Amino acid sequence: GLPWWWEAFWTLPFTERGKKGEPLSLGDTMHVFRTNIEQIFGGEPSYDGAPLATGDLASAGLTDGTMYLGLQKYQEGFGDVYKLCFGPKSFMVVSDPQILKHILRENVFNYDKGVLGEVLEDVMGKGLIPADFETWRVRRRAIVPGFHQKWLNFQVSEFGRAGQLLVKSLRAAAAAGKAVDMEERFGSVALDIIGKSVFNYEFGSVEGESPVVKAAIQSLREVEHRAQTPLQYWKFPLMDLLVERQREFTENMKLLNDALNKCISQALADRSEADLEELENRDYTKMENPSLLRFLVDMRGETTSGKQLRDDMITMLIAGHETTASALTWALFELAQNPELLARLQKEVDSVMGVEGHECPTYEDIKSMELLRLTMAESLRMCPVGGHWKVGGPYDRWHPTLALCAFHLGHCPVHNMEPD
């Protein structure tokens, strides 16, 4: 079914493949497209052995915001490894744990972060998720010390205060008999926590819609749109003026950047350099700005630019809330199916949190609630929404830590794990 000139076309100089170990060239991308066309229209066998998933993308749920349900449908029909094609883009979808182990651990440096890394870079710059390996290695070493025990102990109480506001709004909704979108509510409280703990910014999204939060969520949706769009039309001249969604994206990014740069400028203006040991022994209860951003700015010997700090902060802001909201929503859903377990869990929480004058949990309180920990661990095992795995370099794993107040799970953003 292919034209007579097909083979001759692939002998032209600009279609030549690059050499192993070199960056991908135009010819490499064209040959991926060639393989797809030959498999679809020429009846050629699959080069990699993976079946090509076929069917209407819209009816499968890949274009209406329920992408993961669509991928599951394809998995049921085509198996644990299959290929999806969107024009010149080709996606290998893997569900088998052993193959994932090979990709993410045993053979990790033979992959890069792919198309998602490219589109995330438009939002997150050189943040931890889209960063190249060298940038990732430097930034990880700079950021991880900020999550030390004393800071975490202090932030748990801050998580509790944010949780109290959520509980208040939920009680008001319950009294009024009003249905509540719990994923949205959990996402709002997660964003409030990230804003305050990471860069000392009050979103107030639990009590009302924050323009910055709205901009962050819409920017993430634009990333999803770009990842699924075959032609990168947004890179063409004047697209940010002619296309409405690109105009909105530009406006949203300006709003986000202005807010983050203001926080960074303030932190840099108040900079007080100290050694790591001194920073880890600070009394955070007496600090006006006890955020992670302040820790990074004050670390002696850290030469981070305002641009890199912005990239780090926006990565935690945008990517940090959705996994928490999803994990909590699924846990609550599973508990609703098991009233007996829910009652036992409520009893455990009340035994710790029901003491007068003890509205906010401490780190020790959380450790003492074993059933809570086991419930969240089992929910994450059943519905592992806490893991955004990225192929390439070292891999990224969202690593949750429990911080309860009315079933709230706050997490430390991005601990990238080196293969070992």
Side-chain angles (χ1 to χ4, degrees):
L2 296 172
W4 61 269
W5 47 262
W6 182 255
E7 290 295 334
F9 175 81
W10 295 103
T11 63
L12 297 175
F14 67 90
T15 67
E16 185 179 359
R17 296 184 187 218
K19 295 179 181 179
K20 185 176 180 180
E22 295 180 350
L24 290 176
S25 65
L26 173 63
D28 292 317
T29 303
M30 291 179 69
H31 274 273
V32 172
F33 199 21
R34 173 189 181 180
T35 302
N36 295 341
I37 292 174
E38 290 177 349
Q39 190 175 342
I40 297 169
F41 300 106
E44 294 292 327
S46 171
Y47 175 79
D48 42 50
L52 181 65
T54 57
D56 181 41
L57 298 179
S59 63
L62 295 183
T63 59
D64 64 356
T66 57
M67 180 177 69
Y68 293 107
L69 295 178
L71 294 178
Q72 183 182 5
K73 289 180 183 177
Y74 277 133
Q75 185 270 338
E76 292 168 353
F78 295 96
D80 288 336
V81 181
Y82 62 87
K83 186 161 59 178
L84 276 176
C85 298
F86 294 89
K89 292 183 180 179
S90 183
F91 297 87
M92 194 72 73
V93 184
V94 178
S95 303
D96 183 88
Q98 290 302 316
I99 300 176
L100 285 169
K101 181 181 179 182
H102 173 75
I103 295 171
L104 296 170
R105 169 170 284 192
E106 297 169 353
N107 199 38
V108 65
F109 289 101
N110 279 341
Y111 304 91
D112 64 21
K113 297 189 178 183
V115 64
L116 189 58
E118 293 175 15
V119 295
L120 280 172
E121 191 171 356
D122 294 341
V123 178
M124 300 178 185
K126 292 289 185 179
L128 284 171
I129 294 178
D132 58 88
F133 175 64
E134 289 304 319
T135 302
W136 170 87
R137 183 164 57 180
V138 171
R139 295 311 303 149
R140 177 178 181 270
R141 288 174 179 169
I143 291 172
V144 167
F147 294 96
H148 56 278
Q149 192 67 47
K150 200 167 184 180
W151 185 80
L152 288 173
N153 287 340
F154 169 76
Q155 289 298 343
V156 164
S157 64
E158 296 299 300
F159 295 175
R161 275 184 266 278
Q164 284 180 313
L165 294 175
L166 175 62
V167 171
K168 182 180 177 182
S169 71
L170 293 177
R171 283 178 175 161
K178 179 182 176 183
V180 176
D181 181 342
M182 288 308 301
E183 186 173 22
E184 185 277 329
R185 290 289 78 200
F186 285 141
S188 293
V189 76
L191 283 164
D192 283 354
I193 287 171
I194 293 168
K196 189 64 178 173
S197 62
V198 174
F199 44 92
N200 200 42
Y201 192 94
E202 291 282 3
F203 287 130
S205 55
V206 168
E207 298 177 292
E209 187 176 58
S210 164
V212 178
V213 168
K214 185 178 179 181
I217 293 172
Q218 289 179 342
S219 297
L220 191 58
R221 288 174 180 163
E222 175 61 21
V223 167
E224 293 172 352
H225 165 73
R226 292 184 177 189
Q228 298 178 55
T229 303
L231 180 66
Q232 296 181 336
Y233 68 89
W234 53 88
K235 291 188 176 182
F236 296 162
L238 302 179
M239 286 298 103
D240 57 339
L241 298 176
L242 299 176
V243 180
E244 183 179 0
R245 69 178 304 137
Q246 299 310 316
R247 287 200 305 270
E248 291 176 351
F249 177 71
T250 301
E251 292 167 1
N252 288 331
M253 290 308 303
K254 182 179 186 307
L255 183 61
L256 281 169
N257 289 333
D258 287 348
L260 290 172
N261 289 333
K262 183 178 179 180
C263 293
I264 292 168
S265 297
Q266 185 62 51
L268 290 170
D270 299 334
R271 187 176 190 178
S272 177
E273 285 190 278
D275 293 328
L276 181 59
E277 184 178 356
E278 184 180 346
L279 292 176
E280 291 180 341
N281 288 316
R282 279 176 165 175
D283 185 351
Y284 289 100
T285 62
K286 297 180 180 178
M287 292 183 65
E288 185 178 344
N289 181 357
S291 66
L292 177 65
L293 171 61
R294 184 61 191 269
F295 181 95
L296 296 176
V297 165
D298 288 351
M299 191 183 301
R300 181 167 286 129
E302 181 62 37
T303 57
T304 304
S305 67
K307 173 66 168 62
Q308 183 61 60
L309 286 170
R310 174 264 177 212
D311 293 348
D312 293 338
M313 297 302 104
I314 202 169
T315 298
M316 296 180 193
L317 169 65
I318 291 181
H321 75 282
E322 191 175 26
T323 44
T324 295
S326 296
L328 286 167
T329 304
W330 280 113
L332 201 58
F333 172 80
E334 294 295 342
L335 285 168
Q337 315 307 307
N338 193 333
E340 182 182 348
L341 176 60
L342 177 59
R344 287 174 56 202
L345 188 57
Q346 287 174 322
K347 184 177 179 180
E348 180 183 75
V349 172
D350 288 342
S351 70
V352 176
M353 304 301 300
V355 180
E356 187 175 352
H358 196 72
E359 291 82 8
C360 291
T362 64
Y363 203 81
E364 292 303 314
D365 290 334
I366 294 164
K367 288 167 63 177
S368 71
M369 291 185 275
E370 183 180 20
L371 182 60
L372 170 70
R373 178 178 60 81
L374 294 174
T375 299
M376 292 306 306
E378 177 66 1
S379 177
L380 286 169
R381 184 193 68 79
M382 296 168 65
C383 310
V385 293
H388 275 315
W389 296 95
K390 310 296 179 195
V391 175
Y395 49 89
D396 303 326
R397 180 190 297 168
W398 293 102
H399 191 66
T401 62
L402 282 173
L404 171 94
C405 187
F407 307 124
H408 178 70
L409 180 73
H411 65 73
C412 301
V414 182
H415 285 270
N416 289 17
M417 310 294 289
E418 290 180 298
D420 55 17

